[in-house]
Structures are given as C-alpha cells and as structure tokens.
Amino acid sequence: MVPGPEDALLDRYRGVRARSEALAAPLSPEDQQVQTMPDVSPTKWHLAHVTWFFETFLLQPHLPGYAPVSPAYATLFNSYYEGVGPRHARPRRGFLTRPSLADVMAYRRHVDDAMARLLAGAARERIAPLVTLGLHHEMQHQELLLMDIKHVFSCNPLHPAYDPAVRDSAAEAQPVRWVDVVGGVREIGHGGDAFAFDNEAPRHDVLLRDFRIASRLVTNGEYRAFIEDGGYERPEFWFMDGIETVRREGWDAPAYWRAVDGDWYEFTLSGLRPLDPAQPVSHVSYYEAAAYAAWAGHRLATEAEWEVAAAALPADIEAGANLLESGRLHPAPAVDAGDGAPRQMIGDLWEWTASAYANYPGFRPEAGAIGEYNGKFMTNQNVLRGGCCATPAGHIRTTYRNFYYPHQRWMFSGIRLAADA
Amino acid sequence: MVPGPEDALLDRYRGVRARSEALAAPLSPEDQQVQTMPDVSPTKWHLAHVTWFFETFLLQPHLPGYAPVSPAYATLFNSYYEGVGPRHARPRRGFLTRPSLADVMAYRRHVDDAMARLLAGAARERIAPLVTLGLHHEMQHQELLLMDIKHVFSCNPLHPAYDPAVRDSAAEAQPVRWVDVVGGVREIGHGGDAFAFDNEAPRHDVLLRDFRIASRLVTNGEYRAFIEDGGYERPEFWFMDGIETVRREGWDAPAYWRAVDGDWYEFTLSGLRPLDPAQPVSHVSYYEAAAYAAWAGHRLATEAEWEVAAAALPADIEAGANLLESGRLHPAPAVDAGDGAPRQMIGDLWEWTASAYANYPGFRPEAGAIGEYNGKFMTNQNVLRGGCCATPAGHIRTTYRNFYYPHQRWMFSGIRLAADA
Amino acid sequence: MVPGPEDALLDRYRGVRARSEALAAPLSPEDQQVQTMPDVSPTKWHLAHVTWFFETFLLQPHLPGYAPVSPAYATLFNSYYEGVGPRHARPRRGFLTRPSLADVMAYRRHVDDAMARLLAGAARERIAPLVTLGLHHEMQHQELLLMDIKHVFSCNPLHPAYDPAVRDSAAEAQPVRWVDVVGGVREIGHGGDAFAFDNEAPRHDVLLRDFRIASRLVTNGEYRAFIEDGGYERPEFWFMDGIETVRREGWDAPAYWRAVDGDWYEFTLSGLRPLDPAQPVSHVSYYEAAAYAAWAGHRLATEAEWEVAAAALPADIEAGANLLESGRLHPAPAVDAGDGAPRQMIGDLWEWTASAYANYPGFRPEAGAIGEYNGKFMTNQNVLRGGCCATPAGHIRTTYRNFYYPHQRWMFSGIRLAADA
Amino acid sequence: MVPGPEDALLDRYRGVRARSEALAAPLSPEDQQVQTMPDVSPTKWHLAHVTWFFETFLLQPHLPGYAPVSPAYATLFNSYYEGVGPRHARPRRGFLTRPSLADVMAYRRHVDDAMARLLAGAARERIAPLVTLGLHHEMQHQELLLMDIKHVFSCNPLHPAYDPAVRDSAAEAQPVRWVDVVGGVREIGHGGDAFAFDNEAPRHDVLLRDFRIASRLVTNGEYRAFIEDGGYERPEFWFMDGIETVRREGWDAPAYWRAVDGDWYEFTLSGLRPLDPAQPVSHVSYYEAAAYAAWAGHRLATEAEWEVAAAALPADIEAGANLLESGRLHPAPAVDAGDGAPRQMIGDLWEWTASAYANYPGFRPEAGAIGEYNGKFMTNQNVLRGGCCATPAGHIRTTYRNFYYPHQRWMFSGIRLAADA
C-alpha cells in the first residue's frame, strides 16, 4: 500500500521526536537535570515539556479514553500557558529530580504510542495543523536544548564538551561587501498555506528606503578590535540601558569568551578553544550588537529590511546553510561564492535586528491557550532573524521571527551590519 | 527702540526661567530636597540642572571670561551627559542638602545675568538654536518637577496638597465615538524650521492601513469596570512582563488610587479626592493600558496612527487644551464639541502608544554631548503622545515623542483606544 | 594475628565511608545532583568533599607519591578552607554535572585505596588524630546529606520519599515535667583525650544560677496552639530581626508544615504525612523557638545550662536515643521512664540554645587550614545542642556545639524550654 | 522659695531639650530632612520622635485633657514600639517633607508647655522615673543625630562641615601599655537606684580569668599598618561573615577614610581632613575590629572583662573624658597620665566587645510598650562599651550597654585590644 499523507505526518512526527532524543543522548542524567539560571531549562524538562504539548493539545482533547501517565505532569511541564492551569515556577524547573530521566523517557513512549493511535484515526486530517505546530514547537526546543546545555557546561570549570569533535576551519575572513537593496512598498510576512507561527502573519506591505546590508556576519577578529579600542568603556556607542548592563554585569567581552594568560579563548559545544578571528562573533546581546554597529559607523537592519534583503536569496535557502544538520554546532566563517548575494543569512547565528518585537498590523492570535504562543511576549524584546547552527533544517524561513530581551546572550546570536543607501 | 528678535529671545528666556521658579514657589526647602525613588529628582535639583544646561552648553563655550559659581556643580547637576564628564549618581540626588535652595537660587541669578550678557552680544544669532533647545529642556523639566513632587507628596500619609484649590467638574462622561482615519502612504515627523527635538526628524513617509481612533480618553469609571471584572488577575489580557510586574508590585489599581473604607479615592496635586468616574484614568503603566485595551476588545494606536489622526486637528492645537496654563494640574472630563474631531489629544494626559521608541529612518543625533539628548534611550521604552495637564503651552506638538518604560506610571499617562477599520 | 589499633582505625574508616554510600544509595544520580538553595549541597558534592578532606589533609602531605585523580578536584570540592587555595563558589555546587556520580564514586575508591596504604604505613600513629577528625567530618556530612536531600525533595510537588517506610507511633504526648538544676561554679567543655572538635575546648568553669529545664521537647500540638493563638502575628513575642524575617518570608508555620484542605501535614523523609501532635516540633528557626518560649512564658536554656543539665544523664547517653541508627529519620514522641531525667536531650532534634556561638575562654584554633574548621563561624550564629535523628551514633557528645544562623531551619532543630528557678 | 526636686527635674528637662535644638541649629531645613540609608534618620525626625516619646508615654496617660497637635504624629514619629500602634516605615522617614521643620519645632513647644504643666502637678513624683527615661532617650538621640548627620554629609561630594572649627592636636601616639586585671568571681551590671536602662540589670556575678587590657584605643597609624599588610585581603584574620561583607561592599578601609591622590584623608564633622595617625581609628565594624585584633595577635575584650577593667577607673569617670561637651566631635589621641589606669575608656569611641548582645541572667523587661526598649534587639548584635565623643555627659556609665550589628560602622566605634593573662 502506498503511504498516504497521514503516514507522512507520522513519519515526520517520529523523525522529530527521535532527533530530540538523539540530541539528549550524549548527556548523562545529571547533565539533563540542571538549571543554571532562570532562562535555562534542564534537558530533561525540554524532553518532557514538548511531550506535554502533544498530550495537552492533541491527546487530551482528541483521543477518546486517553489516560495520562500522571496528573501532576500537567503542572510540572506547562511552560507558560496560563490558559491551561497552574504551572511549576520556571526558576525551579531544575529542582525536579523526580520524575527521573527514565520516567520522562517512559512518558515520551506513552505519548508517542498514543499519538500513533491518534494519527491512525479519523481525526488525523483535522488535527494535522496542530500536530505540525507541535513538531515545530519541538524543533524550537531542540535548539533551546543545545543553547541551554551550552550554558550549563559553561558554568563548569572543567569545560565539558557536548561534542568533542572539533571542526575548525583554517579560513581567513573574507572582506565585507555591501549589498544594495532598493526600497519602496514591499511585502513581508507569511502568506501561503505552509506552516508558519501566528506572529509571522499577516503578510503585509511595508515602506522602506533604499539601504545596504553587509554580505556577512561580523567576525571575532572585528569584534576584538572593538574591544581593544575601548568599546566597552565608551558610553557614546551604547544605549543607556546597555551601558548600565555592562557596568552591573562586569561585561568586557561576549558571553563565552574567556581570557587565559592574555589570550582569548571561546567556550563552545566542543569545549574551550582558541578564539578563531575568522568565525562570526556569537553570544552577544542586543546592546553589544548595537554598540558595535555604532562604533563601526553603521547600524543594524530593521526586521523588514532584513526580510526584504532575504527575498533575494536563492529559493533553496537552506542549501549550504550551517544549520543543526551540519553537525558543527558552531558558526563557520563565511565563504563568498561571488554571486553577489549575502552569506550566512540562514543559519550560523540569529541576527539581531533594530526592531522591537511587536505584532504585525492585523495580527490575530489563535483562539484558546495556543494563542499564548507568541503575542504575550511582545514587550521589551527585539527581533532576531535567520536561524543558527542549532536550528533544525525545515524549521527556518525568511519570515521567521525570533525574539529575545536586549540583555540576553546565551543563544546563538550575532551581528550583521546595515547602512542607509 | 523697537525690540529685535534677540530681545524676544531674552524675553522668552526670562519667561521660561521665571515660570520654573513660580512652580517651585509653593514648596518649602524641605519639599524641594527629597527624592522618593530613583526616577524622581528633587525640585531643587531640577532648578539647578536646567541652569547647568545653559552654563555648560551656552556660557562655557560661548561667553568669554564666564566664571562658574562652583566647579563642583558641573558634576552635581549633570543628568546623563557622559560626553561632558562625570556625574553625581542619579539615585543620590536627594542626598545633596548642600548647595542649599538659596544657593541654587543664587546660581540661577548668576547664570541668568550671564545669559543676559550673552544674549546681548554678537553671538546671539549663532546661539539662538541652542538657547531655544535650553528653554525647551527647561519646559520639559517643569513638567517633570510637577510629576516628581506629586510622587513625593504621595509618599506622605498626610496627603499634602501642592495646590489646595480643587477644580472639580460635575460633568458626566460623554460616550465614546470612533473617528475613522484613512490609511495609505502618509507623512509623519517634524519637517519645518520651527523647533523640535532631534528624535522627531526626519519627516518621512509611513504606510498605514485604515483605522479608527476613540474620540476621548478612557475614564476612571470605565477603568474601574475593568478592575471589577477581575482585570488585574486575568493573565489573558496582559503581556507576560506586565502580569509579572503586577504580581511583583502587588498592583491592583492605577498608581494614585487609594481604597479608603471601601471607596476609591485619587491622590492629586490638590490632595486626596474622591475618584471622579468622568475624569480620564491617569498614572497607568503601558502594561495596564494594553491590558485594558485587550479587555475592552480593542488596541492602542501606533505612534504613526496617532500622529496621522492628530493631523486632522484644528491648526491651533492648544486652543482649549488642558495644559499647564489651565492651572488644573489634573486631567479633565472630555467635552465633545460635536465637530467630529477627537478630544483631549493635546493636553490632559500623555497617551501610551503601541510603538516601541526607536529612531526614525535617517535619524541623525546632534554632534557632541547634546546628541545624547534622545538617542541613547531608544531601547525598552514606549512612545507617548500629546502632552498633559502639566505640559507648558508652546512645548507640545503633534510630532512630539515622549517615552517611558512600560512599568512606569508616575507621569501623567492615560489611555486612548484604537481599532482596525 | 590479632588486629592492632591501626586495623581498628582502618575498620572505622571503612565503616564510616561505607555508611555515606549507603545513605546515598536510595538516590538517583539526578537526586544527588541538585542544589535547591545556597545552604544546601548536592549529595554528590558531599560524597566528594569528604573525600577531598582526606586527600588534602592526609594523602597529599603524608603519603609520598600520592597522585590525585584530578587537580581540578582541589578547587571543586573545597568547601571553605581559604588556606588551601581557591574554591568553587558555594551557590554553584549544583552546576557541576561533571564529574558524574560515577566519577565521584571512582574518586572515593581511589582515595580509599590510598588511605588503606597510608594506614598500613609508618605514619599511622602520627596521623591517627587527623584521620579521626576526617571521620567525624564525614559523619557531620552524613547528617548534612540527609537534611539537604530533605530540602531538595521538599521543593518537588510530587513529595518524594527518601525512605517510604513510615514508622509512626500512636503515642500521646506525655506531660512536661520541670527538672531542677543547681547552679554555682560548674565545669563545661571537653577535657579528656577522646575526640572532640576544637571549639569544645578548653574545659572551663562557668557560673550558673539555679534553673529548671523541661523534661522533653516541645511538641507539634503545643506549637500548633501557639500558631492558633496568633503567634506569628504578635510582635511582642519576637525579636525584631525575627518578626522582620517572618514578614519578609511569609512564614506562618515551621518549614515543612503544609496546609492541605484545612489540615496540617508535615513533609518528612518518608513523604507528606498528617501532622502528629505528639511528635516534637521540628525545622524551626531560632526566632520561632524564642518566640514560642516567650509565648509559653518561659525561655530557652543557655548552652552552659544545657550542658550542665546533660551532666545528669546516664553515662551511656546514646542508649535508647533516636539517632541515625534508629532508621526513623524523624523525631519521635518522648517516652518518660519515670527516672526523673530529661528525655530526648541526645538525638531526636538539635535544641536551640539562647547562646550566641563564641569561643570558649582560652580557645586556640588548630594551626593551618584545619584551624578554619570552627572559629571563623563565630558571629551571628546560635549554638544548638544534643544531636538529632540524623546524627550518627558515636558522633554526639554532651559537649558538642553545633551552630546555625537564627533564620535557618532546614536542619533538624527543635525547642526545649527552660526557666529560672 | 527654694526650688524642690521637681523644679530640678524640670530644669533637667529643659536643659536636655534645649541641647537637642542647639545641636540642630547649625543645620538647614534641608540638612535636617534627608535620610541617606535606612539606618539613618533625619535630624527633623529625631527632634520629633523624642518629643513623641514624652507625648505618648507621659502626656497621653498622665496629663488629663492633653490635646495632641496632630493624631498623625502618633504614627509618623513612632520608631519601633509595636505595642502603641502602627508606625511609618523606617526607610521612608526621609520622605516626610511635611510636617516642616517649623511644624516640628512648634510640636516641641506644644509638648514642652504641656510637660511643664505635668511636672508642676500632682503626678510629678510618680512620673519622675519615666521622665528621666525620656531624657536619657533624648540624650541617646542627640548622639544619633550627630552620627546620622555625619553620614548625610559624607554622601555629599562637597564634604560639608557640621562644625568648621578644627581642633587638631599635634600629639604623637603614646605607646600601648598592658593593664593586668585579676579574674575570679566579679560583679557586673547596674544595681543601685540611679538611672540605668533595663538591659544593664540585674547586677550579677560573672566568672572571669585573669586578663590584660590595652591602655588606649588602636590608632589610625596602627590600623594603616594593618591595611598596608594586606589586612583586608587576608581571610585568615576574618570571620567568614566579615570577609564576605568586605568583598560584597568593596571595603578597603574604615568607613570615612578617603584616598585622595595617594594620601589618606578622613571625613569628619569638620569636613575632610588629612588622616592623623595619632588619633584613634574610628568608624570600623565589628568585623574590622576583630580582624585587626587577630592580625595584631590579640583579641577584643568581652563586655564583662571591659566592665571589670572599668571598675578600676577613678570615681569621676567623666573627668577629662572626650564627650559631647568637649566640642571636639572627634576622638582625640590618648594622653597617658602615668597613673597606670587605661585611658579613653569613657568617651572618644564606643569600644567593640567580643560579646553578643544578650539579656543578663534574670533580666526582666519593663511592662508594656516601654519594655520594647532593649530586649527585642538581642539577636545578631554585639555590645559596645564606654561612650564616645558624641555622647552627652551624664549619659554614660561603666555598666552602659550599647549594641550594633557587626557590619555597621556609621557610629563612632573603635578598637581596644585585650589578651589572656
């Protein structure tokens, strides 16, 4: 029998679910237990929470007779959905030594089995969009899992390596080119039938002036020049909130740079490595990105500019991109193909934009608790675009809007310069 | 001899300077000394800081032989201009019992005398723009002085009145009308030669969809209904950061509402008064404004929408507006003239917009320390529009961009609803 | 061959070391990883730190050619000995997912093997006192391990049980008797050759007035009466620092009491159980102990009074005492034998005394880093006496001085009343 | 007519009251308004609070028909007496710009007039003890007023002088002698009929070993040697809580030492002056005092030792002492009279003792709210003895027990060494 689309959905379900477990496989139960700051969640919690999503939004309402493993999980593994009941306080996720990792894996099996029944049943067509949302939700958490475990390991003076294999390149950084983009009334946002999060819609017109965008990300070497020029002590380049953060936190470099005997090293998912000046600078806050741009005499792009610039990319945006599947788990130096297109827009590092995260005109969140997915975060955060080396293929679009607070930097974030025409 | 334009400038200088002192006149030296939170500055400090501005940016560079009263004042009364040297820490402004109020008044005389000499000299034409900036800076601080002393008095269980005269109205709240505004490519921002702050420029095109805007501000009575409907306990109306602020701060009403024996009162610059349901609700944070709008089924306007709607106002926007000169020092109920135009857009209360504060495309801050005036604040804040009952006439424009953090509410802030067409 | 005293020491070494591992055995690697507050250390860290003690103070200086497992352990597992180099920050102990529990167990094996060689060598006589200190240090940590894991499990809404076996008694609380003690110049402190910590010496005279001491600990039932009488809201019973702690922390009952549907339950190492009114009240702070005593019209004993009263106990103080070996892991109701002696002075709960922790007259700390063991903590803490249900037999003496901050209550602490004669 | 003892009481009342006002006289209304940290109270508040004490404990209960100036003052000027009703939060005392200083002075007049009537009436004999308590309370606040305004002025970069007259001495520091004191059963505490605070009683036996006490206070020059020897960075001299305070607060010298261009200056009530190495080191915390003593190879005295040593002082303990009446407002170098007695025990600086503040055996607080005077502070503080240069004559006794937290140092505190015999 030829597999139908429902089988394809089940296959996708299984594929995504299997990858989460593969990503957790190198980690011990202890590694998967720990929360090193409120922003970080334990690996084990990620594995359970994405499962809770399927249980709560798919199995409970749509699979008659579904019996949950434990009623307590509804509270323990709810992240922030006020609409579905109470939740365990975020900064205390790391305290949950029980259920054990083994229990969580059993929970996954239980839900996977039920999902297989659900996807074999009559409801499969009706629920397909929600299943797809659940899979993208899990893919988001795959990236979170990696950036969170990187933070956990960064707090250990032993510098553990998630993946000991180092994939350094001997490449020199290529010079930056400026790519000119013509303004006018342009369209951005998600429009078609393919999957996208609610915050990417509706597709709508924006009005842009001509601008230029850099052909690649800012490198470690360039950023080191900013530091050596006294960048962190010169308030003229910084937002007021930024310079206060720098002073309060004692920042003098990106989050994972470490000075050892006068040389800069970088903590990576392969452990502590000498800083490679050709690699993109990563784990910078918005404040640092904006200060660097001011120091360099340029600026960051708005998210509309970024998306319009990305419209010029080849149709297969993921081809050659440094995404999770590359296995590098680290940004790579840009290689210019000479085709005039900007590099690294997809993958490598999420790129800070100058745009505060807000709804698009005409935005309507989904009804019910699912509608809490995005809209409630639309204050005090900035948009980042393009995915990173920890983003799964199939999970990134040019319309994808990621968002973080300006002071955060434990995610794979980087800097691309822009300028007025 | 007919007075020339320079005399007009000197007259304006004297007028603005005199009003600062008139506003401080009802206050004792003790009243003028106190800082009740880091956001608040003492009255005395305001009087000195605006004087420091003229000394630093006008007298020191442009009046040969100018001798400052004290070199220490350069540090004590610098607010946030990193480019002109060190500054006394903001949360410690209230610790400066010396110089005394009398000393500060002598400092004002000293600078005023020198300014009179400067404005009588050859440089007067060249420096006129900077003098005008200094006067607008002082007018800003006149409003700050009033909102700050309101906070100081609000911390005193005796409920002192800045102005004991109460100007209540017996008006009923008029029904809200919706004013339709046509979208398309519209222009906003400041363009002409008249004074404006750097953040209002350049004038530029924006693209808007058709929308509707409420004819008046939300009233105390309407807001009370939100409270009584459980508004502060229902997370579905709030941004995540908002509901966390509500819980952390224990908010259950606007900043100056006080429950006394089961009735709501409002602390005002005329002391504690029974809450008037017809008056606009004031001293709300952005979080509360947005939550109210969500509860009401509407939204806040963007700043571009607000400005385009304001373009339909009569040319003399200040006519009949409740500004500082009305002497009310409190918002007043809207009176609908039946002309179809929205009321209260100028004066009464600063209106929260949904727009994060950011530079306009092509924004260029002024060179030098003066350029720190606005740009460095362009993170984490939202734009408010339209001035308030403490804003001096001549200091408000439809292009004027005020900005505060979403959690702040000690300023005269209010809510106007908007909706998609 | 008859085993000599060195073999006895090795036997004791092996016995103590084995019990630490037996105590950890019911815990998963995840359970052993977590730190729920700065005061708490992970089980795994305890297992490693007591091993580090032997490595640092015995093997490194006394076993020629000893090769440490990892030089990093010297920093990771140092608790507070400034004299032996840097140390990993205490609140970050829970972040060390590596070394794994398996690594730590291997570390224990490595050190145990080396200790066996050392104890078989020529140095054994000379080092015996230090080995004994190390064993008492490890016994201390056995108690800490239990009170820490109790805190960890108390943060989990699933209420995990360390030991599911519940050993409830149906006993009624017996009435309190008052035991009269004659004052005068009495001796306290440790004097002989047997092991004691440096802070117990020298034995010295104290001058006491006649006093009375209660025959048993205060019970849950008695303490509940204090709560029901408004005890936590009545400042007249409290020290100023105590009432401020109550208000800031929102305390309204002992640390592990939980109100469920109007009834009190108690979280124990056997999970959540209905509060037994006959059991001693446990996990109270000094503030609560002193407030209860004031409410009851009595006071706490000084440590000198406590020790003099304990001098009247039978010689075999551990006989019948509820110590770790009882396996209850919880205080038990007092059973009065009718012999006129106070009960529960040894075991059950550490008893708060009114005495601030300070050196005895003539106190001399040990030379070197070992001297940091006790003296550096002699500020802001109060002395507790008598051991508890988690204290190993052989590790408690009537001269033993334990100490905690007045606000702490995660240890097994209780209340015994005293009064002037 | 010969004045009777009641007139003497009225005279004393007037004398004490007048001195409070004389101490405030050099201060502007602004100076008297400000609170620079929660421990500090505004001068104006001191003036009002001591008045409130007479109103609350004398006039309200004992003067029929007494009409208070304002019922609000009962809350505003209550310090910490829970038993007499609510109180204005301590950290917000500086917010009370109203009542004005003039209002407070009128309040003083009102209460003084009523007190004159009360002291002329039939109740005078019965209330004399309470009046005396009120006068000692006011004398305490005279000292607090001076140490608080010193802190206020220390926060001002202009370094204002409370009293511009500088009374430096050219004296060299005299060598320390050791005074031997014989131990045994000795009596301490207050016994007779003269006034003393409740915490000084009952007089009781203590048991002491022979000891030695230094003939004078530690000097600035000696303390500077401790600093130059790395004292603040060497944990071996510090209590754990002390070294953590040093690190958290960034301490590297006593509270009012200021490094200017490589030289040490000291902020005093006469402004900023070059550090005098012969003067006693002042404004040190208990942590610093104990660390200095450890560095010097000695220790601090217990309060019992201090009091027994003071029993050897001449009967007129205030003769020649540097108390408030000397007008120096600063400690002075010791001058050894060659009589073998220790110097500076009365006046100059409060001397930290090693004793935690606790009740004496048999201590009974006064009944009612007055009983809150002392007992509720008996946790976490240490006893200081001997008065200081800001203590009024007639307010110090050898039995007087002052107390502060170990981290506090804004009072006039100093160090005297002791040693075992």
Side-chain angles (χ1 to χ4, degrees), chain C residues 353-378:
Chain C
T353 76
S355 299
Y357 180 44
N359 59 312
Y360 281 165
F363 168 68
R364 287 282 173 277
E366 303 270 339
I370 282 284
E372 299 181 37
Y373 204 100
N374 279 303
K376 68 198 296 184
F377 298 105
M378 291 177 171

Side-chain angles (χ1 to χ4, degrees), chain C residues 80 82 185 205-207 209 235 239-241 247 286-287 356 361-362 364 375-380 405-406 420, chain D residues 80 82 185 205-207 209 235 239-241 247 286-287 356 361-362 364 375-380 405-406 420:
Chain C
Y80 54 72
E82 303 267 359
V185 174
D205 287 338
V206 292
L207 185 62
R209 294 150 57 120
F239 290 115
M240 182 76 109
D241 291 346
R247 290 171 181 167
Y286 175 68
Y287 298 132
R364 287 282 173 277
K376 68 198 296 184
F377 298 105
M378 291 177 171
T379 48
N380 303 311
Y405 289 96
D420 293 349
Chain D
Y80 54 74
E82 304 266 0
V185 174
D205 287 338
V206 292
L207 185 62
R209 294 151 57 122
F239 290 116
M240 182 78 108
D241 290 347
R247 290 170 181 167
Y286 176 68
Y287 298 131
R364 283 287 172 273
K376 69 199 294 184
F377 299 105
M378 290 177 172
T379 46
N380 304 313
Y405 290 97
D420 292 351

Side-chain angles (χ1 to χ4, degrees), chain C residues 17 86 106 145 183 199 202 216 223 257 282 284 296 326 333 337 339 359 361 420:
Chain C
R17 299 282 290 171
L145 182 160
N199 65 350
R216 62 159 171 77
Y223 198 86
W257 288 27
S282 64
V284 289
S326 82
D339 57 0
N359 59 312
D420 293 349

Side-chain angles (χ1 to χ4, degrees), chain C residues 150-175:
Chain C
K150 184 169 182 179
H151 190 269
V152 168
F153 283 168
S154 79
C155 294
N156 191 325
L158 301 181
H159 306 302
Y162 169 81
D163 175 9
V166 176
R167 295 172 191 81
D168 275 333
S169 64
E172 295 279 306
Q174 299 193 341

